[in-house]
Amino acid sequence: MPPKKQANADGSLESRYAQLVARRHIKDDAAQRQVLTALEALSAQLKPRRGLFKKQATRGLYIWGNVGRGKSMLMDLFYDHVPVKKKRRIHFHAFMQEVHMRIHKLRKEKLTDPVAVLAQQLAEETTLLCFDELQANDVADATLLYRLFSGLFEADVMIVSTSNHPPASLYTGGHQRERFAKFITLIEECMQVMALSSPADYRQMQMKSEQRAYFYPLGPDADAFIDHMLKHLAVGAQRVETLAVHGRVTFFALYKDAIGRFTFQELCESALGAADYLALAERLDTLIVTDIPKLAADKRNEAKRFMTLVDALYEHKVKLIATADVAPDQLYPDGDGAFEFKRTASRLAEMQSEKYSGK
């Protein structure tokens, strides 16, 4: 481990990282520092001198690596540091949800090329886009992503993203992988690709919660755990609440003003998707999910919904209380998307830590 550096007076990214190390908020990590150097170079491009960056050879950074290595932490450090007003930091699931909604609206206006119009609109709104957990699940998005990102790069929008996969393995749908070839090539040509190869999983290291929030296995003890948590939260009587998204109405038990309760079946074995989970994450401070089963290899759809749910909760800092049949890393060990599910297991672990807080 390199020696700790004292914070400099120049306000650089490296000095801010050194401050976090000195305060023991994070551990000094040589692999993280390599990525930090690349982010520092991007920050210099965004400094307002003779206008913003124009036609740079590198128009962003693609950071990939295993879960818990600090990818999102470094991107957030960069995002908070850069002197740019027109910037957005958004989870990629939420961004794609927005993209589809805006394209749908533009098509209603009878525009001949709504994707190109949207790229121009986004370029006018943002100079910097930061995406957490960039991934491609739907083959129908292949052409859309290529054309949208091409338009953003052409308009000199800088993009920084994190992912669990290198670009060549970005598409996780399994079928028709070749349709993403142009999008993958675009990323490799326009963005610097860096692997964050730290050997440590910092999320697992942070699991020192005084209060257990994920209970397994299922059974009478798990039921008693939920009863105990409800008493601890002093929730009082429950009422039936409705959530309406795109014409779908979901009913659930609500305690106080922002504590919701569902079974896994209600959330992940029904026709809900990213929009529903984002709406719940914006509505609730705490989500109780009971009866999460161990998912067999043929339960890809249920696993994917649960992954999307956890991502939405994580992004909005919603507290999760859950009962399950097995530990997080054993929920979906095999089947299509099992590798991606490791991120979900890691996030479930982090959501029990002292550093994870509600909204």
Side-chain angles (χ1 to χ4, degrees):
M1 179 181 294
K4 294 179 180 179
K5 296 181 180 179
Q6 295 300 315
N8 300 321
D10 61 1
S12 68
L13 272 174
E14 290 189 355
S15 70
R16 295 189 179 202
Y17 183 88
Q19 289 175 3
L20 293 175
V21 172
R23 294 168 184 167
R24 298 186 177 180
H25 292 166
I26 61 174
K27 290 192 174 184
D28 204 332
D29 187 297
Q32 289 181 0
R33 284 191 177 274
Q34 290 180 342
V35 173
L36 202 69
T37 299
L39 289 169
E40 193 83 81
L42 292 185
S43 179
Q45 289 182 206
L46 286 167
K47 288 181 179 178
R49 55 193 182 199
R50 298 181 184 177
L52 293 170
F53 74 108
K54 292 293 180 183
K55 303 302 178 186
Q56 299 291 335
T58 300
R59 303 178 195 176
L61 182 65
Y62 181 103
I63 311 165
W64 70 275
N66 288 334
V67 296
R69 267 56 185 180
K71 301 184 297 293
S72 298
M73 180 272 293
L74 292 173
M75 185 176 71
D76 289 344
L77 195 66
F78 165 78
Y79 180 84
D80 292 338
H81 172 73
V82 290
V84 174
K85 292 182 179 179
K86 291 168 44 174
K87 60 183 178 180
R88 288 187 69 189
R89 193 276 193 202
I90 186 170
H91 192 278
F92 197 67
H93 272 313
F95 176 72
M96 289 305 296
Q97 186 75 23
E98 176 187 329
V99 163
H100 285 292
M101 290 178 64
R102 292 178 67 167
I103 288 178
H104 179 69
K105 183 178 179 181
L106 289 170
R107 281 177 177 153
K108 285 186 174 180
E109 298 174 10
K110 308 297 183 182
L111 296 173
T112 57
D113 194 344
V115 177
V117 172
L118 178 58
Q120 187 59 44
Q121 289 179 350
L122 289 169
E124 292 171 357
E125 296 165 5
T126 57
T127 300
L128 170 67
L129 274 172
C130 290
F131 296 129
D132 198 23
E133 305 294 353
L134 194 153
Q135 58 180 301
N137 299 326
D138 190 344
V139 71
D141 287 337
T143 302
L144 169 61
L145 285 170
Y146 172 74
R147 297 196 60 233
L148 183 62
F149 272 57
S150 294
L152 292 173
F153 288 137
E154 183 64 27
D156 296 313
V157 175
M158 180 178 285
I159 297 176
V160 175
S161 71
T162 69
S163 180
N164 291 336
H165 302 273
S169 303
L170 187 60
Y171 175 55
T172 61
H175 302 292
Q176 297 181 301
R177 187 181 303 273
E178 66 281 356
R179 289 187 59 181
F180 277 92
K182 290 176 67 176
F183 177 55
I184 291 168
T185 299
L186 180 71
I187 288 178
E188 293 175 335
E189 290 179 348
C190 294
M191 300 174 73
Q192 181 181 0
V193 178
M194 292 193 73
L196 182 50
S197 55
S198 171
D201 184 338
Y202 293 107
R203 287 181 188 163
Q204 293 290 342
M205 293 169 63
Q206 290 172 2
M207 281 189 64
K208 297 179 180 178
S209 178
E210 294 179 356
Q211 179 173 284
R212 188 177 183 184
Y214 180 102
F215 190 100
Y216 69 95
L218 298 175
D221 289 343
D223 297 337
F225 164 76
I226 293 297
D227 291 339
H228 170 77
M229 293 301 294
L230 290 173
K231 291 179 182 178
H232 174 77
L233 295 170
V235 294
Q238 74 176 48
R239 69 176 190 270
V240 177
E241 180 77 346
T242 59
L243 184 76
V245 179
H246 300 331
R248 291 187 300 274
V249 178
T250 303
F251 299 91
F252 64 97
L254 184 74
Y255 301 87
K256 288 188 176 179
D257 291 324
I259 301 175
R261 180 175 179 175
F262 291 83
T263 65
F264 179 87
Q265 182 179 26
E266 290 169 333
L267 278 178
C268 300
E269 295 181 10
S270 57
L272 300 182
D276 304 279
Y277 301 143
L278 287 169
L280 277 176
E282 291 168 355
R283 173 69 179 84
L284 301 174
D285 290 330
T286 301
L287 179 64
I288 300 171
V289 182
T290 62
D291 304 311
I292 304 171
K294 181 175 182 178
L295 298 168
D298 62 349
K299 297 296 183 179
R300 177 185 183 275
N301 291 335
E302 290 83 350
K304 183 178 177 181
R305 291 192 188 103
F306 189 61
M307 289 166 60
T308 306
L309 170 66
V310 171
D311 282 345
L313 300 178
Y314 184 90
E315 285 298 305
H316 287 76
K317 296 298 181 185
V318 177
K319 181 177 179 63
L320 175 65
I321 297 171
T323 61
D325 200 29
V326 291
D329 62 354
Q330 294 299 311
L331 283 174
Y332 186 59
D334 302 300
D336 189 13
F339 179 85
E340 290 73 32
F341 199 89
K342 291 180 180 179
R343 181 190 76 240
T344 298
S346 178
R347 286 193 161 178
L348 287 171
E350 184 182 356
M351 290 166 81
Q352 297 180 70
S353 72
E354 293 174 345
K355 288 190 177 182
Y356 184 86
S357 59
K359 289 196 271 191

